[in-house]
Every structure is written in C-alpha cells, then in structure tokens.
C-alpha cells in the first residue's frame, strides 16, 4: 500500500519508527503556524511571538522555536535581529517567476510518473477534491475561497504523493505554500478555469496517458501563472518564468 499523508510515524518493512513526544509537539506547532501563514491569518510582515504561541498551544517555548526555525527554512517566516520572527513578505517578481519555473520543471514530471502508478483509490480522491472545488467555485467570500484553495492544494499534493518521490513531494509542497499566498490576494475569476484544467489532468491520469498527463499539468501551471499575473496587475510579474 502506498504511503498516506505525512505523519510523525512511518513504516519501513516491519519496523515502525515513532517520533519522540518532543518531535510530535514540534510537528503540531509547525502545522498550526504553517496553516495560519498559508491562509494569511498571519499577514506578510506580521509578528509571530514565541511565548504567546507557547501559551496558546499549551507547550513550552522549545517546540515553538524549533517549528519556527523550520518555517524560516521554508521561506514562510523571516527572523529579524532583536525582533524575533515575522511572516515573510510576498515573493518579489523575480522570486515569483522562479517559483513557477521550478513548478514547470517538477510538476509535469510528477504527473507523468503518477500516470504510471495511479490506482483507483487515488482517482477517487482526486475526483472528490475536484468536486469540492466545483461546489465552491461560484462563491467569493473568504472562507469559501480558502476551501477551494485547500482542495486545489490537496489535488496537487495527491498527484505528488502518487508519483512516488517523497523528495519531489516535499519540494512541491513548499512551492505550493508560496503560490497559495498569492491566490489569497487574487480576486479574479480563476475558479472555473482551474476546475476545467484539473478535469483534463484527472482524465489523463484515469486513462494512464503519460504524455497527456504531463502536457495537461504543464498547460495548467502556465495558465495558472498567467491568471495570477493578470489578476494581480504587477508589472514585475510579466513575461515568461525565468525572464526576470
């Protein structure tokens, strides 16, 4: 059976290696803070107070520090001299283009590998995420938009999981976190087009068509970037990835 969502425990042969209680606390803090950053509950530049988080989550400051250090390494937090941690600003135009350049290198390849390995349970889960996206695409309030984006991210993560490379999945997860922040600031009508493109990807995966899955994912990433550029209206983001 293929590995499920990432957890503190993993199975290798017959041995199950459990994380220490301290590591589990760090993981819990990490997940809570990361979700708040990705959902923009902590806005770019917003301060993240270690002692306040420790008190809120009923943990010592140590797992909070460890979790924040991980988030800093992922580029979601920045550490300011004598001022502690703060949410990182949105990517610059150059970084935005580099992000999509990396996605274009990794995600079509992940989709191609997934087409070789896809199982019925994977197809069912992908179809469920697509259905949830379609159910929320006509609404524009903040909470519904978050639900749409959550299922969008889960759709992509499932494909990365199916491809069989844990390293590729981890790298894509980091890239998607930054792309997600941009989408929260986006007010254009991206939902219907995104759903249609996901349906093309899902159809190719269902048919186990490697070339079409790769092509559909590449087209989706390019279109996604173009929608964000137009919707955000930032001159620094114009031009193809790698042009800045």
């Amino acid at each position: 059976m293929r590995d499920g969502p990432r957890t503190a425990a993993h199975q290798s042969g017959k041995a199950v290696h459990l994380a220490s209680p301290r590591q589990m606390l760090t993981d819990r803090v990490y997940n809570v803070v990361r979700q708040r950053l990705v959902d923009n509950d902590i806005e770019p530049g917003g301060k993240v107070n270690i002692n306040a988080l420790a008190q809120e989550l009923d943990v010592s400051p140590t797992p909070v520090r460890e979790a924040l250090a991980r988030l800093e390494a992922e580029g979601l937090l920045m550490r300011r001299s004598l001022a502690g941690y703060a949410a990182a600003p949105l990517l610059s135009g150059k970084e935005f283009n580099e992000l999509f350049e990396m996605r274009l290198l990794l995600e079509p390849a992940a989709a191609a590998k997934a087409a070789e390995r896809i199982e019925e349970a994977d197809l069912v889960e992908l179809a469920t995420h697509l259905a949830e996206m379609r159910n929320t695409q006509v609404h524009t309030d903040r909470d519904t938009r978050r639900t749409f984006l959550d299922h969008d991210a889960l759709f992509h993560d499932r494909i990365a999981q199916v491809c069989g490379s844990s390293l590729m999945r981890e790298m894509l997860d980091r890239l998607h976190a930054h792309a997600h922040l941009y989408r929260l600031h986006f007010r254009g009508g991206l939902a219907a087009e995104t759903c249609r493109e996901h349906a093309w990807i899902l159809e190719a995966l269902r048919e186990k068509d490697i070339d079409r899955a790769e092509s559909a994912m590449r087209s989706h990433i390019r279109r996604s970037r173009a929608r964000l550029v137009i919707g955000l209206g930032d001159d620094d983001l114009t031009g193809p990835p790698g042009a800045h």
Side-chain angles (χ1 to χ4, degrees):
M1 179 179 292
R2 187 179 296 120
D3 291 342
R6 283 157 289 192
T7 62
H10 67 277
Q11 187 166 348
S12 176
K14 294 183 179 179
V16 176
H17 304 282
L18 296 177
S20 67
R22 173 172 158 179
Q23 183 61 49
M24 292 175 69
L25 284 176
T26 300
D27 289 345
R28 181 166 71 87
V29 175
Y30 167 86
N31 288 329
V32 169
V33 179
R34 188 180 193 274
Q35 193 63 46
R36 292 180 185 180
L37 290 164
V38 169
D39 283 346
N40 212 35
D41 288 332
I42 305 174
E43 296 185 352
K47 186 176 181 181
V48 179
N49 186 284
I50 291 175
N51 291 329
L53 271 174
Q55 183 175 4
E56 177 191 349
L57 300 177
D58 194 25
V59 297
S60 73
T62 298
V64 176
R65 291 192 186 95
E66 293 173 349
L68 299 189
R70 284 169 60 183
L71 291 164
E72 181 188 14
E74 293 182 11
L76 291 173
L77 285 178
M78 58 182 181
R79 190 170 187 176
R80 303 172 299 183
S81 178
L82 304 179
Y85 286 97
L90 288 175
L91 299 178
S92 67
K94 181 177 182 294
E95 291 168 332
F96 176 90
N97 283 315
E98 289 174 348
L99 181 151
F100 275 90
E101 188 173 41
M102 286 299 298
R103 288 189 65 189
L104 282 168
L105 288 171
L106 294 174
E107 284 199 78
K113 288 177 67 69
E116 295 179 328
R117 297 165 49 87
I118 198 84
E119 298 174 1
E120 184 60 31
D122 304 315
L123 294 169
V124 169
E125 182 166 332
L126 289 171
T128 298
H129 292 313
L130 178 55
E132 291 294 334
M133 292 172 67
R134 284 171 168 160
N135 288 339
T136 58
Q137 66 179 333
V138 297
H139 304 288
T140 57
D141 62 277
R142 180 180 175 85
D143 288 341
T144 304
R145 189 165 65 251
R146 282 182 177 179
T147 299
F148 178 91
L149 293 173
D150 285 345
H151 285 284
D152 178 30
L154 289 168
F155 183 95
H156 283 270
D157 182 64
R158 184 66 171 194
I159 293 172
Q161 177 188 341
V162 173
C163 89
S165 170
S166 58
L167 179 59
M168 185 178 290
R169 185 185 183 192
E170 182 179 349
M171 293 174 68
L172 287 172
D173 184 54
R174 294 186 181 192
L175 294 174
H176 288 154
H178 289 282
H180 184 90
L181 285 169
Y182 266 97
R183 293 189 189 103
L184 283 174
H185 288 267
F186 185 78
R187 296 295 184 270
L190 64 83
E193 292 183 23
T194 300
C195 288
R196 183 163 57 250
E197 291 157 18
H198 278 203
W200 293 340
I201 295 167
L202 179 56
E203 181 182 357
L205 292 172
R206 184 174 286 117
E207 296 296 325
K208 295 184 178 290
D209 189 325
I210 296 171
D211 291 339
R212 191 149 61 97
E214 183 176 12
S215 176
M217 182 63 81
R218 182 177 293 107
S219 174
H220 171 53
I221 295 167
R222 286 174 173 162
R223 290 167 180 259
S224 176
R225 179 190 175 279
R227 284 191 291 270
L228 288 173
V229 169
I230 293 171
L232 292 165
D234 191 333
D235 292 340
D236 288 339
L237 306 183
T238 57
H244 293 270

